[in-house]
Amino acid sequence: VATKANLIWDQNESLRPPPYTGPLKRYLSGINIGDELVDSLPMKDLLCHGSNKTVNVPDIPAPAWVDWESVKRGQLLWTENLGRAYKALGFALLTGFSISRFAV
């Protein structure tokens, strides 16, 4: 629900995006919901562009369903096959873009 207070938006005070006022507003009720962990941090720690300041953002605990061994296997598989994946993607794109030359 957009109230007069919600329509006042200042980027220096919040990282929340400005309120959406477009035609799809009634379908996007959750678009302004932020991250509780980041929202709880002081703004001076988040706005540190151009400085050498180190920000200690607390880690979000991993959900119970995460299988770290499976994640590690997937990362290893991706790094081992990265070259092949790029070659296959490049070939598919080049073939797809040039197929019109052979169409009747």
Side-chain angles (χ1 to χ4, degrees), residues 7-77:
L7 296 177
I8 299 171
W9 178 76
D10 184 6
Q11 190 175 11
N12 292 324
E13 295 180 12
S14 173
L15 292 176
R16 184 180 307 153
Y20 178 73
T21 56
L24 299 176
K25 181 177 163 184
R26 66 180 177 169
Y27 302 111
L28 303 172
S29 60
I31 197 168
N32 291 323
I33 297 173
D35 184 354
E36 294 175 11
L37 181 64
V38 175
D39 288 343
S40 68
L41 296 172
M43 189 60 63
K44 65 180 179 55
D45 289 341
L46 294 174
L47 299 176
C48 57
H49 301 293
S51 70
N52 295 330
K53 183 168 66 169
T54 303
V55 179
N56 293 324
V57 178
D59 288 334
I60 300 172
W65 52 263
V66 175
D67 179 12
W68 289 109
E69 188 59 37
S70 179
V71 170
K72 191 172 185 176
R73 272 195 333 264
Q75 289 173 339
L76 183 62
L77 180 71

Side-chain angles (χ1 to χ4, degrees), residues 88-101:
L89 177 63
F91 181 73
L93 288 173
L94 289 173
T95 305
F97 287 134
S98 63
I99 198 75
S100 62
R101 291 187 299 163

